[in-house]
Amino acid sequence: MKTRREVLQGMIVSIGGASLLAACKVVVRVNPSSADGLEFYNSDELALVSRVSDLVIPRTETPGALDVNVPGFLDALLAEWADTDTKREQHNNLRQLNSELGQDFASVDYITAEGRLSELDTRAFENQPRQHNEYRALKGLITQAYFASEEGALQEQKWVAIPGRWDPSVEI
Amino acid sequence: MTDFDAIVVGSGMSGGWSAKELCERGLKVLVLERGPEIKPERDYVDQLPPWQEKNLDRISQEEIKERYFKQYPGVSYAVKESNKHFWVRDDEHPYETVEGTKYDWLRGYHTGGRSITWSRQSYRMGPQDFTANKNEGVAIDWPVRYDEIKPWYDYVEEFAGIAGNRDGLEQLPDGVYQPGFELTDAENFFKSKVESKFPGRNIIQARIAHLTSATDEQRSLGRSNCQSRNRCHFGCSFKAYFSSLNATLPAAERTGNMTIVHNAAVQSLEYDAATNRISGVRIIDIETNENRTYTSAVVFLNASAIASAMILMQSKSATFPNGLANSSDQVGRNLMDHISGAGANGIINGFENKKVFGRRPSGGIYIPRYANITEQNKPFTRGFGYQGGASPIGNAGGQIAGIGRDFKESHKSPGPWRISIGAFGEQLPNPNNRVTLHPNKTDKWGNPQALFDVSYGENEHTMLEEARKDAVAMLEAAGCSDINSNPVNLTVPGNRIHEMGSARMGDDPSNSVLNRWCQAHDVPNLFVTDGSFMTSAACQNPSISYMAFTARACDYAVNLMEENSL
């Protein structure tokens, strides 16, 4: 029997190298008939979360958010951790995000999607008081999930389990 | 003939010390722990890497509502999915508050108690703390002065292992320290700016109970130096920070004199009027509901300030109708905590080319009390210290601008540095702030629930308003930008988890429960050496003081036993 992680990985067509070679137009496709493995997102939501994840933390010299299956992780997190109110809020956030980014956001070419998300990101972080919580919340979850993954922690963040010492002043 | 020479109720911060000291002096000691056994090799979760944590180590929101509805909101930074077994379930351990009041009773019922989850800040009380009540005519005078307790601070610090610097400040006496955790460059900059603008204020390294140069004695107990992982709330497989489990209980265990019984909640101390002594300790087994009574020559209550007071109040007799050793009517009164909810944070500029290596455990800086010490004419009495630190903003949980490669890469650079300081202030003793036994509500073992009636007074409110203003002024002096300082939001009583004062010590039996040795005025074979004895709260984190007074009380008690005069 497949684990949920495996099911989800099967659903997300690998877009390996997409962001490393940004000119390459690759579309994340999700087969709706395989959405049985999902516990929280529906297939459209998964497509949106996958697209945002890939754009926020793409594969570079190190694995990206899709390589470590951030969308699958978040599906499980929201199914298991969130209460009814939080679940409703998360679904609402995605609905709002979809209308901000366009209904075709998950299927437009990479450059177009990147442009739209970049614009939203700028608006979300330039203004006080804080705006676009629907996006900031998702970006926060994606980032936390990525750096909590083995690849994100070890390869990208160079997380050290046992530093062994404290150095308060390291030149960079 | 008694079952044991001594019974120690509770295995936490002070109970571990009672067990160690009494066992090492040759007494046969029974330690009663109301919770289950924690075995470090089985139950510590400090080695769990982030990717093995379930759900980002968050307890599910439904489970919080059902089981941790007090613990989690009270101390959310430390109550996680992986370490929730270090915290009580609120549905199993209910308590009540008087209408119009609030109380956070944040606890761990298991071997080692809250010594597993404490924040390890270890500051001595200073000479001024022992004379403040007398000088101001507040409550009653301490029966002890700093010079009397000083050698006991030396003694417990050497064993426990405190990392810190000797700063030469009279109000925060130096102790026996291992090398401290050096300040970051931003903290050193902040220190120089603040100390030159405010000559009476000092910024020092936090003094924390971590080994940095383990002694032979510490190594012989299986302890080693801190590895800078900052995984302390999850236990420590290196046993580098002080806890009962990491230090005192193993020391007691190796004498061969300790028996520890878990799941044994004390219901009452049985009193024999003919001898004026405790004759037995009655427990209920929390798994089987079976009652048992153990006997000993001397009893040390180390159940925590609230639980120890409740045990005394539950121990009613014809001689003591209001609870054992309570002829003064002071048991359960003068309940104190420290107060927080005032501080500031801001960006400290100029350190973007610096980062740190390692994860420093606990705090970075401490600003010892200066109010009414080096600075007078404050609109309040007593004072506060600040805990804080400066560190790179770093990851910020994704809450920084950008997407794509640049965003990903930005996590490799530390980014700007943020400094944050928060006040810990002294609460004045007030006999109306008290815990009593609820008249009709009990827990599932039939023990009365605690009923809290604690409120802060004008001095606490005024003090924190000033602490907030001072915090902003110090950040401004260091040229910080983006300074945030929320309006004072005084913490709920109990929230600092420094409960104390519920069986205060004093020289006069008519207005105090314990004498200068933590021995009950009314009942000679009873000692209470958890936070209950504190006659005033000072503003320093209190655990190291509980340790020192406990070691001193044990020495006194054993001396009396050896003279056959207990």
Side-chain angles (χ1 to χ4, degrees):
Chain A
M1 190 174 148
K2 281 188 173 180
T3 65
R4 187 182 48 232
R5 185 181 165 112
E6 287 164 348
V7 169
L8 282 161
Q9 278 171 337
M11 289 167 55
I12 302 164
V13 177
S14 169
I15 57 156
S19 3
L20 193 58
L21 305 167
C24 182
K25 298 178 179 59
V26 181
V27 178
V28 176
R29 292 194 188 282
V30 173
N31 177 356
S33 66
S34 301
D36 301 345
L38 293 175
E39 292 189 7
F40 177 73
Y41 295 131
N42 63 35
S43 55
D44 288 341
E45 290 172 331
L46 182 72
L48 174 62
V49 170
S50 299
R51 193 85 211 240
V52 174
S53 298
D54 183 40
L55 290 165
V56 169
I57 303 183
R59 178 188 293 182
T60 53
E61 293 76 13
T62 60
L66 290 188
D67 294 314
V68 304
N69 193 20
V70 163
F73 181 91
L74 295 184
D75 181 70
L77 174 79
L78 295 171
E80 291 170 12
W81 160 75
D83 65 11
T84 313
D85 289 346
T86 302
K87 283 178 173 157
R88 189 184 308 117
E89 186 189 356
Q90 292 286 329
H91 285 306
N92 287 342
N93 281 352
L94 292 177
R95 235 186 325 275
Q96 198 184 332
L97 195 56
N98 216 6
S99 69
E100 294 276 351
L101 293 169
Q103 301 299 327
D104 58 351
F105 181 73
S107 58
V108 294
D109 66 81
Y110 191 88
I111 300 287
T112 306
E114 188 182 35
R116 288 186 200 170
L117 191 68
S118 185
E119 218 173 277
L120 176 62
D121 187 275
T122 303
R123 275 185 277 133
F125 284 90
E126 74 184 354
N127 294 319
Q128 290 290 346
R130 180 182 161 129
Q131 294 181 355
H132 293 292
N133 271 331
E134 78 290 350
Y135 168 63
R136 289 181 62 141
L138 179 60
K139 186 180 183 183
L141 283 176
I142 289 168
T143 309
Q144 287 174 60
Y146 176 72
F147 285 110
S149 73
E150 189 167 2
E151 296 88 341
L154 295 180
Q155 294 182 43
E156 180 61 26
Q157 202 165 40
K158 310 290 185 211
W159 181 80
V160 180
I162 304 176
R165 64 190 172 86
W166 161 247
D167 184 343
S169 177
V170 179
E171 287 282 350
I172 51 173
Chain B
M1 192 65 198
T2 56
D3 301 332
F4 295 90
D5 296 321
I7 292 175
V8 175
V9 180
S11 67
M13 190 64 78
S14 62
W17 271 100
S18 294
K20 169 188 178 297
E21 295 303 303
L22 299 173
C23 284
E24 287 181 348
R25 291 285 294 270
L27 270 55
K28 295 293 180 191
V29 178
L30 171 67
V31 177
L32 295 172
E33 167 51 53
R34 68 161 298 157
E37 182 176 14
I38 295 285
K39 290 185 176 179
E41 58 276 15
R42 181 190 67 194
D43 299 317
Y44 283 0
V45 286
D46 58 318
Q47 303 280 15
L48 208 59
W51 53 90
Q52 285 179 12
E53 291 169 356
K54 184 182 171 192
N55 295 335
L56 300 173
D57 217 13
R58 300 175 182 184
I59 302 176
S60 88
Q61 292 177 315
E62 293 293 353
E63 187 174 350
I64 288 169
K65 279 187 264 187
E66 187 188 324
R67 296 178 172 177
Y68 300 100
F69 46 86
K70 293 279 189 189
Q71 309 297 303
Y72 183 82
V75 64
S76 58
Y77 60 87
V79 183
K80 302 293 181 185
E81 173 66 22
S82 65
N83 74 350
K84 62 190 180 190
H85 54 299
F86 294 159
W87 301 90
V88 298
R89 280 178 52 172
D90 292 305
D91 55 330
E92 292 180 343
H93 301 286
Y95 61 89
E96 295 288 327
T97 52
V98 167
E99 199 177 334
T101 69
K102 291 180 178 175
Y103 200 86
D104 276 355
W105 193 14
L106 308 172
R107 296 161 281 166
Y109 288 162
H110 44 249
T111 331
R114 294 178 292 192
S115 75
I116 303 180
T117 49
W118 70 311
S119 285
R120 309 166 305 282
Q121 303 264 338
S122 302
Y123 305 103
R124 294 184 177 196
M125 290 167 64
Q128 74 284 346
D129 298 313
F130 294 96
T131 54
N133 279 3
K134 179 170 190 240
N135 293 344
E136 296 170 10
V138 169
I140 60 168
D141 187 17
W142 277 84
V144 176
R145 293 292 181 259
Y146 176 71
D147 286 345
E148 297 172 59
I149 196 68
K150 179 183 179 301
W152 294 100
Y153 276 122
D154 293 345
Y155 176 75
V156 296
E157 284 166 349
E158 182 167 6
F159 176 82
I162 311 295
N165 197 30
R166 294 176 63 84
D167 298 289
L169 301 171
E170 195 181 342
Q171 78 272 34
L172 195 76
D174 292 333
V176 178
Y177 298 140
Q178 299 189 6
F181 287 81
E182 296 289 335
L183 301 186
T184 61
D185 292 334
E187 289 162 352
N188 274 319
F189 175 80
F190 183 67
K191 172 182 170 71
S192 69
K193 291 294 181 188
V194 170
E195 290 181 354
S196 73
K197 175 88 185 275
F198 303 99
R201 302 184 190 178
N202 297 90
I203 291 177
I204 65 170
Q205 287 174 9
R207 298 171 178 175
I208 53 180
H210 289 254
L211 303 185
T212 54
S213 181
T215 62
D216 290 344
E217 181 184 43
Q218 287 155 350
R219 292 198 182 277
S220 75
L221 290 163
R223 306 186 64 195
S224 50
N225 289 339
C226 177
Q227 300 297 307
S228 295
R229 299 178 304 151
N230 196 20
R231 292 282 295 165
C232 319
H233 287 135
F234 303 86
C236 181
S237 304
F238 296 91
K239 302 191 173 184
Y241 75 84
F242 175 86
S243 71
S244 296
L245 269 170
N246 290 347
T248 44
L249 291 175
E253 176 71 36
R254 71 180 176 182
T255 65
N257 289 329
M258 179 175 75
T259 302
I260 183 163
V261 174
H262 288 89
N263 300 313
V266 172
Q267 290 188 309
S268 61
L269 307 178
E270 292 174 0
Y271 173 73
D272 177 10
T275 58
N276 188 32
R277 298 291 188 276
I278 295 169
S279 56
V281 178
R282 179 184 158 91
I283 66 103
I284 183 166
D285 187 305
I286 65 164
E287 290 190 314
T288 64
N289 286 334
E290 170 200 9
N291 285 114
R292 293 191 297 275
T293 299
Y294 298 100
T295 60
S296 64
V298 63
V299 173
F300 271 69
L301 271 188
N302 295 104
S304 86
I306 292 160
S308 289
M310 289 177 66
I311 289 169
L312 293 177
M313 289 186 282
Q314 285 164 220
S315 307
K316 294 183 187 354
S317 61
T319 313
F320 296 106
N322 297 320
L324 188 67
N326 193 21
S327 64
S328 65
D329 187 36
Q330 292 300 313
V331 171
R333 294 186 182 275
N334 305 297
L335 189 58
M336 296 172 284
D337 188 18
H338 287 131
I339 53 169
S340 290
N345 67 71
I347 301 297
I348 187 157
N349 299 295
F351 300 94
E352 294 74 17
N353 63 338
K354 289 291 177 79
K355 64 177 182 178
V356 300
F357 180 80
R359 296 181 289 277
R360 180 173 50 182
S362 198
I365 61 172
Y366 187 67
I367 306 178
R369 177 180 155 194
Y370 52 82
N372 299 310
I373 291 181
T374 57
E375 297 179 16
Q376 304 298 329
N377 303 317
K378 301 290 182 186
F380 56 88
T381 183
R382 314 288 168 104
F384 51 86
Y386 294 96
Q387 295 177 19
S391 55
I393 287 179
N395 186 328
Q399 299 307 304
I400 52 177
I403 64 168
R405 174 182 284 270
D406 289 348
F407 173 73
K408 194 176 172 187
E409 297 277 322
S410 71
H411 292 89
K412 287 181 182 148
S413 68
W417 286 58
R418 179 181 284 128
I419 186 155
S420 172
I421 57 173
F424 279 71
E426 177 167 359
Q427 178 191 354
L428 292 175
N430 174 350
N432 297 323
N433 284 333
R434 65 190 299 200
V435 57
T436 54
L437 304 180
H438 195 283
N440 46 51
K441 289 196 174 179
T442 59
D443 65 17
K444 67 180 183 181
W445 297 279
N447 299 318
Q449 289 185 24
L451 175 63
F452 293 97
D453 184 1
V454 182
S455 304
Y456 290 133
E458 194 182 335
N459 198 62
E460 285 87 28
H461 287 273
T462 307
M463 182 191 291
L464 282 198
E465 289 297 337
E466 296 297 308
R468 193 192 73 80
K469 284 187 235 167
D470 286 3
V472 171
M474 287 190 277
L475 264 61
E476 285 173 349
C480 292
S481 58
D482 298 320
I483 295 174
N484 296 308
S485 182
N486 293 326
V488 171
N489 183 17
L490 192 55
T491 40
V492 171
N495 180 271
R496 301 290 82 186
I497 327 185
H498 294 167
E499 310 97 73
M500 54 188 134
S502 55
R504 69 184 178 192
M505 57 162 57
D507 281 331
D508 182 350
S510 74
N511 61 23
S512 61
V513 181
L514 307 172
N515 67 17
R516 62 199 295 118
W517 306 103
C518 297
Q519 180 186 30
H521 287 299
D522 294 338
V523 184
N525 69 340
L526 170 64
F527 289 77
V528 187
T529 73
D530 52 29
S532 307
F533 69 80
M534 297 282 281
T535 311
S536 68
C539 66
Q540 298 90 325
N541 304 55
S543 291
I544 197 75
S545 295
Y546 303 170
M547 297 185 212
F549 276 88
T550 298
R552 176 172 171 270
C554 289
D555 178 67
Y556 179 76
V558 178
N559 289 345
L560 289 183
M561 291 171 85
E562 289 173 351
E563 294 163 7
N564 285 321
S565 51
L566 193 70

